[in-house]
Amino acid sequence: MNTYIIRCGEVALKGMNKPYFEKMLQDKIRARLKRLSLNDIKLQRREGLIFLYDYANHDEEQIISAVSKVFGVSSISKAIEVASELEEIKSAAVTYMKGLIEKRGAFTFKAEAKRADKTFPIKSPELSRMVGAAVLKGCKVLSVDVHEPQVRLFINVRKDKTYIYEDKISAIGGLPLGTNGKGMVLLSGGIDSPVAAFMMARRGMLIDAVHFHSYPYTSPRAQQKVEELAELVSDYCGKINMYIINLLPIQEAIVKNCPAEETTILVRRFMMRIAQKVAEANDALMLITGENLGQVASQTAQAIVASDSVVSMPVMRPLISMDKVEIMEIAKDIGTYDKSIEPYEDCCTVFLPKHPVTKPKLENLEKSESRLDVEALIKQALESCEVKTIHPKSVVM
């Protein structure tokens, strides 16, 4: 049997609500392991940690990779579990280090004990020295380096059991999915919106998506790209219901009846109105966009204010103050970057004006929209809606 310690990070700070968050996190870990057919595993919550007991001895990297992608997990360690008796702790530490020597040869180390169980009779600094001395005696090739050791040997003394391990492997952090309601992301084929969806999911928000296309100006392959992006994001967020809407009639009406320089921002205002209606119909609490202040014409401060003025629902913009390099790095980390840069068109590039207005005035936009049958156009767009449920690749949740 392999034992893993899962640390809950931010969840541990939730005070009276901590048991709720811990249970949600445990359920999400269990669901992910089940989806990946990692069976014969037991999870147990104790003293602010989650212990994973792998009776099937699955591949260590597979377990760590799966658990570290669960929102709410801050770190994970593969550990050995022994009784909280001094001689057993020292003997287990020596055996553990001998195993590392077989894999790596000689190295420097430092023993770091933590006495979570205050009834244990030996305080942490003294226990560190005692275990370190036992390891030095039992493993002659080792030497101590208290400043920059190659290996830190952690000894975590808890009630009844002590855990010995080497690594604290960083995980994705955040809050468990489902602890902060649902949001509706405006998902395009670009770099930004998948990252925005990921970042809001990391705060515990379930994610659905609305995607706009302009067929036949945009191709079926462009839509397929967005579905594949949603699939990549769903590896973290779970299943995503994607609402696919034809925006072309709205774009054509705007191009025919409104000033060319306002096309981009007028289209954006329609997208926001439609996204809110889809969100309201599907119990989403807020809209999510990948907008980044000043990045393009529709993302100036004035344009964002103009877009928000047509909706009453909160609009979350988790990327608003980031620069493009930061966003690209996150996209690479979560695996969406390569798909995002594939050269397929999206609806935002259709009828793009040569000189879009960057500081739109609300009264001018409203005057232009008075030439359109706004409600009829929105109704037509919603009637075109196609719904697809996106699952993690090869996995059904």
Side-chain angles (χ1 to χ4, degrees):
M1 179 189 72
N2 291 328
T3 300
Y4 298 84
I5 301 173
I6 300 169
R7 300 173 191 85
C8 307
E10 190 176 345
V11 169
L13 306 177
K14 290 299 177 182
M16 296 284 289
N17 292 322
K18 186 168 76 169
Y20 164 74
F21 282 89
E22 288 178 345
K23 184 180 185 305
M24 287 286 286
L25 179 56
Q26 183 175 333
D27 290 345
K28 296 302 178 183
I29 294 169
R30 183 180 289 110
R32 185 173 187 87
L33 295 171
K34 184 177 180 181
R35 294 197 329 260
L36 298 174
S37 299
L38 297 173
N39 302 313
D40 203 13
I41 284 173
K42 178 182 178 182
L43 294 171
Q44 187 178 77
R45 288 184 290 140
R46 296 201 312 273
E47 304 172 80
L49 298 173
I50 296 175
F51 293 87
L52 186 157
Y53 299 101
D54 174 20
Y55 294 96
N57 293 328
H58 293 285
D59 179 72
E60 177 182 342
E61 289 187 6
Q62 190 180 20
I63 291 284
I64 291 172
S65 175
V67 174
S68 64
K69 286 184 177 180
V70 177
F71 292 121
V73 175
S74 65
S75 67
I76 180 171
S77 299
K78 185 180 180 184
I80 58 173
E81 182 182 87
V82 299
S84 291
E85 301 290 340
L86 179 60
E87 293 306 315
E88 287 201 36
I89 293 170
K90 292 195 293 186
S91 176
V94 171
T95 301
Y96 183 84
M97 295 300 273
K98 284 181 176 178
L100 292 184
I101 291 169
E102 287 181 12
K103 294 178 183 178
R104 305 179 194 174
F107 51 79
T108 60
F109 82 101
K110 177 184 179 182
E112 296 187 13
K114 179 181 179 181
R115 189 183 60 148
D117 177 12
K118 300 306 180 185
T119 65
F120 189 76
I122 304 171
K123 293 184 179 181
S124 300
E126 184 180 357
L127 182 60
S128 298
R129 290 191 292 270
M130 295 174 75
V131 173
V135 169
L136 277 176
K137 183 178 179 180
C139 306
K140 304 294 186 183
V141 298
L142 298 184
S143 58
V144 173
D145 184 342
V146 297
H147 300 295
E148 294 184 5
Q150 292 169 293
V151 169
R152 293 183 185 273
L153 177 65
F154 295 100
I155 306 100
N156 190 337
V157 181
R158 309 190 78 83
K159 290 181 180 178
D160 301 323
K161 298 291 183 181
T162 291
Y163 298 88
I164 297 171
Y165 51 92
E166 172 195 2
D167 294 322
K168 294 182 180 180
I169 300 166
S170 295
I172 205 162
L175 295 172
L177 276 173
T179 55
N180 263 322
K182 184 197 293 184
M184 184 71 64
V185 62
L186 281 72
L187 188 64
S188 72
I191 294 171
D192 301 338
S193 56
V195 173
F198 165 84
M199 292 183 70
M200 291 304 294
R202 190 172 178 270
R203 301 308 305 156
M205 180 161 281
L206 296 170
I207 300 295
D208 279 344
V210 57
H211 171 65
F212 296 97
H213 68 85
S214 303
Y215 183 80
Y217 289 90
T218 54
S219 67
R221 183 63 189 87
Q223 181 177 315
Q224 183 183 340
K225 171 189 170 181
V226 176
E227 292 174 18
E228 290 168 357
L229 274 172
E231 185 180 83
L232 292 169
V233 174
S234 74
D235 190 40
Y236 300 92
C237 306
K239 76 174 183 180
I240 296 173
N241 295 313
M242 190 161 80
Y243 302 87
I244 302 164
I245 293 174
N246 186 359
L247 199 63
L248 183 60
I250 290 173
Q251 292 173 300
E252 290 176 330
I254 290 171
V255 168
K256 182 179 179 181
N257 295 286
C258 303
E261 66 273 13
E262 293 179 354
T263 300
T264 300
I265 187 63
L266 290 173
V267 168
R268 187 68 179 176
R269 281 161 63 89
F270 271 93
M271 292 167 73
M272 297 294 281
R273 290 180 176 108
I274 294 165
Q276 175 169 284
K277 288 186 177 297
V278 175
E280 289 171 341
N282 293 281
D283 300 319
L285 299 173
M286 56 189 63
L287 302 179
I288 303 165
T289 79
E291 288 167 310
N292 165 247
L293 187 62
Q295 183 171 241
V296 295
S298 63
Q299 296 179 23
T300 63
Q302 294 88 344
I304 288 172
V305 170
S307 295
D308 281 6
S309 70
V310 298
V311 294
S312 57
M313 182 173 283
V315 182
M316 298 292 106
R317 294 181 171 91
L319 314 184
I320 194 68
S321 66
M322 299 175 70
D323 64 41
K324 195 66 175 184
V325 174
E326 292 174 308
I327 299 167
M328 288 165 60
E329 287 302 315
I330 297 173
K332 291 173 183 177
D333 288 343
I334 66 176
T336 58
Y337 179 79
D338 289 341
K339 179 60 61 176
S340 290
I341 62 173
E342 288 182 0
Y344 293 99
E345 70 287 341
D346 65 34
C347 68
C348 295
T349 63
V350 177
F351 306 119
L352 193 65
K354 288 184 179 180
H355 302 289
V357 62
T358 58
K359 296 180 180 179
K361 293 184 177 180
L362 192 56
E363 59 268 27
N364 293 341
L365 298 175
E366 291 173 344
K367 181 179 178 181
S368 296
E369 287 175 345
S370 70
R371 303 167 189 163
L372 307 171
D373 190 338
V374 172
E375 293 305 318
L377 288 168
I378 292 172
K379 183 173 182 292
Q380 182 181 5
L382 290 170
E383 288 172 350
S384 76
C385 184
E386 174 188 5
V387 184
K388 289 194 174 183
T389 300
I390 309 295
H391 297 281
K393 192 172 185 180
S394 302
V395 176
V396 175
M397 289 185 67

